[in-house]
Amino acid sequence: MNTGIPLPLERFYHWEKHTPTKICYTQPLGDGVISDITWQEAGQQIRSMAAYLKKIGVQPGDNVALISKNCAHWIMADLAIWMAGGVSVPLYPTLTADSVRQIMEHSESKYLFVGKLDDWPDMAAGVPEHVSCISFPLSPDNEFPTWDEIVASTEPMQESPSRNHTELATIIYTSGTTGMPKGVMHTFNSIASGASQAANIYEADSDDRVLSYLPLSHVAERMVVEMMQLYQGMHVFFAESLDTFASDLQRARPTIFFAVPRIWAKFQAGIFAKMDERKLNFLLKVPLVSGAIKKKLREAIGLDDARLAFSGAAPISGSLLDWYKKLGIEILEVYGMTENMGYSHSSRQGMGRVGYVGQANPTVEVKIGDGGEILVRSPTTMVGYYKEPEKTRESLNEEGFLRTGDVGVVEPDGSLKITGRIKEIFKTSKGKYVAPFPIESKLLADAHVEQCCVVGNAMPQPIALVALAEADLAALKNGASREQIHQDLLQLYDRVNAQLDPHEKLKTIVVANGEWSIENGIMTPTLKIKRNVLESRYEDRIENWYDSKDKVQWE
């Protein structure tokens, strides 16, 4: 099959040939040192690494894994794997040793690139002994052959190998919200179809700048950063660390910026920490000063040049969307899954609606199946799960539509509203079914609520577990009273329950102590809530909370 769409390697060869001196990557090296890499320089490194991979035995179709935080070498390794004829298998840089071993063994990867990592000594135990490893610059101390040594001593590959549209390009393991990650298989055609269309929807071009900081091992960052760059020639800046993120953002001044809701909330909290929220909101309404304040706030965040701002991976509260809109930043929601290369629905500029994830992208077919399940089909649909034919049949129906597991409705204008997850719907002790997502969406519309999880399986009524917004947590740490927050949440409780059917009404809202994070195991690497972990964490206390007569309780 040849659809006429150029494949990622072809796009790389294009930029390497036609814009050799243009900077494609800006990589922090630590201690304030910044390295700019041109397309020509990247090409020399990629070609040397591809030649080395073939030299050490990588055969066409071999799986080659890589585990690292985001860096220029992550993308260059991905391209080198493809040039050598291999299939890339990215691993999240936050995995435990057990998870590393699970994926390495399941994928049968014999080679591994090791890069920027915080906990490599702990992860290393999960790498099977027979695996050949290569070390990126900035990687933890190890005894592996290094990228720089290999590039310096290996003659670059002179030919420009092509790959076939139907060949397997990558196996992306899901982040594991419900157990063992599944290996999602994507062909080069799948990647090319999504990347070329996504770049066209928003008219990205070679003058655009993007900051890479969310895991490249996740499909969203891989599409927005790596693939859109290859197709449009954008300039990619890399973040050095969480501590330097603000300065990294200031240096990049991205024109295209993608974030998960948690990041958008953190930006807002940072502003509120410097200026009282009520005072700021008042000033934003004053015509004579609001324009200057909005401009300064956008500059303070580092998004004064951003022409496109996206949010995805989880629901974002309406209050956050409205607040950023006041600053002149329209956040566009996008919807997709690992199984369709993150390419399904997206909001168009000026057409966003709170509670909706936009319209179907070009080439995407969507319909509502049994039980209200959203079904999608496009050229970006996976070919299946690696070595899991039964799970593949469960996810793809006879017509090739992907069963998303999400429940939703399509409005006459094509806007998609997600109303729940099939697997999250639970049954109360009264025999009534409750979909938590719509209730959670109502709670998330409140500025105090950053994350929430509605539970209630086999209970008479559901209860809501909520994590406070960053701004509230910061204020409480600085000695502020929680009384006003408590009163506001009481009003939220009454307001939400007034909109719910009797069997859905919340018995209580419980405010969690602190935040839910990757570090405490409640969030996945893509900042989604692990519902089963959260319920397990609180299972011994839920009954007492339920028995309380208080509408709002604090952990």
Side-chain angles (χ1 to χ4, degrees), residues 335-337 339-340 343-345 355-360 364-377 381 394-397 400-411 414-422 425 437:
Y335 168 69
M337 304 170 63
E339 285 83 352
N340 57 20
Y343 181 84
S344 180
H345 288 67
Y356 292 79
V357 293
Q359 293 78 36
V364 174
E365 301 172 74
V366 58
K367 62 181 183 179
I368 304 300
D370 295 340
E373 184 176 18
I374 301 165
L375 306 177
V376 292
R377 181 174 66 182
T381 304
E394 290 172 5
S395 292
L396 296 174
N397 71 12
F401 277 87
L402 175 66
R403 297 184 175 99
T404 66
D406 289 321
V407 178
V409 294
V410 179
E411 299 294 343
S415 295
L416 175 65
K417 184 180 182 68
I418 299 172
T419 59
R421 286 283 295 168
I422 289 176
I425 295 173
F437 187 91

Side-chain angles (χ1 to χ4, degrees), residues 529-554:
I529 294 172
K530 293 183 179 179
R531 188 175 293 267
N532 58 333
V533 172
L534 193 63
E535 290 181 358
S536 176
R537 174 174 174 169
Y538 292 124
E539 64 180 350
D540 295 336
R541 306 176 67 181
I542 286 178
E543 187 175 339
N544 289 335
W545 286 330
Y546 188 90
D547 290 340
S548 171
K549 295 181 181 180
D550 294 327
K551 294 179 179 179
V552 175
Q553 303 175 65
W554 296 69

Side-chain angles (χ1 to χ4, degrees), residues 33-281:
V33 179
I34 305 295
S35 172
D36 287 328
I37 302 172
T38 66
W39 285 103
Q40 183 179 56
E41 291 166 344
Q44 291 173 342
Q45 295 187 52
I46 292 165
R47 290 173 177 278
S48 290
M49 186 54 65
Y52 178 80
L53 290 175
K54 292 178 72 71
K55 179 181 176 181
I56 63 173
V58 173
Q59 298 296 312
D62 278 356
N63 295 335
V64 181
L66 60 163
I67 184 167
S68 173
K69 291 183 178 182
N70 295 16
C71 60
H73 299 85
W74 198 106
I75 296 178
M76 289 192 286
D78 200 20
L79 294 171
I81 292 167
W82 288 342
M83 284 186 71
V87 176
S88 62
V89 183
L91 279 70
Y92 283 99
T94 53
L95 294 179
T96 63
D98 287 343
S99 296
V100 170
R101 183 171 293 275
Q102 276 184 328
I103 294 174
M104 291 296 295
E105 291 180 348
H106 185 265
S107 67
E108 302 176 74
S109 297
K110 301 173 185 175
Y111 310 90
L112 174 68
F113 285 96
V114 177
K116 289 177 63 180
L117 297 165
D118 292 332
D119 301 308
W120 172 244
D122 293 332
M123 293 179 180
V127 179
E129 291 183 4
H130 68 274
V131 171
S132 298
C133 296
I134 298 168
S135 176
F136 284 170
L138 300 177
S139 69
D141 290 338
N142 58 64
E143 298 179 354
F144 309 138
T146 71
W147 179 283
D148 289 341
E149 291 170 348
I150 291 168
V151 167
S153 61
T154 307
E155 188 68 25
M157 183 183 289
Q158 295 304 308
E159 65 271 26
S160 297
S162 61
R163 301 295 296 268
N164 189 286
H165 283 71
T166 58
E167 281 186 90
L168 188 61
T170 189
I171 302 173
I172 306 174
Y173 280 82
T174 57
S175 55
T177 55
T178 56
M180 171 62 192
K182 299 186 289 288
V184 179
M185 297 187 291
H186 280 290
T187 62
F188 284 101
N189 183 66
S190 170
I191 294 173
S193 298
S196 59
Q197 290 288 358
N200 291 332
I201 292 172
Y202 296 104
E203 299 179 344
D205 62 34
S206 59
D207 291 327
D208 278 313
R209 301 183 302 278
V210 63
L211 177 68
S212 180
Y213 66 101
L214 294 172
L216 274 164
S217 43
H218 184 258
V219 68
E221 186 81 352
R222 205 162 176 200
M223 286 292 281
V224 173
V225 173
E226 180 184 12
M227 293 306 150
M228 281 184 65
Q229 184 212 24
L230 288 175
Y231 279 79
Q232 301 303 117
M234 300 187 303
H235 184 170
V236 176
F237 292 75
F238 292 90
E240 183 173 356
S241 68
L242 286 176
D243 293 336
T244 65
F245 182 74
S247 59
D248 293 329
L249 193 54
Q250 292 287 339
R251 181 175 62 252
R253 317 300 294 189
T255 58
I256 298 175
F257 186 73
F258 175 81
V260 295
R262 186 93 180 272
I263 300 296
W264 291 114
K266 283 182 179 293
F267 285 164
Q268 183 193 56
I271 289 173
F272 288 163
K274 296 177 181 177
M275 178 177 280
D276 179 75
E277 178 182 354
R278 289 178 175 81
K279 179 181 178 181
L280 176 58
N281 288 336

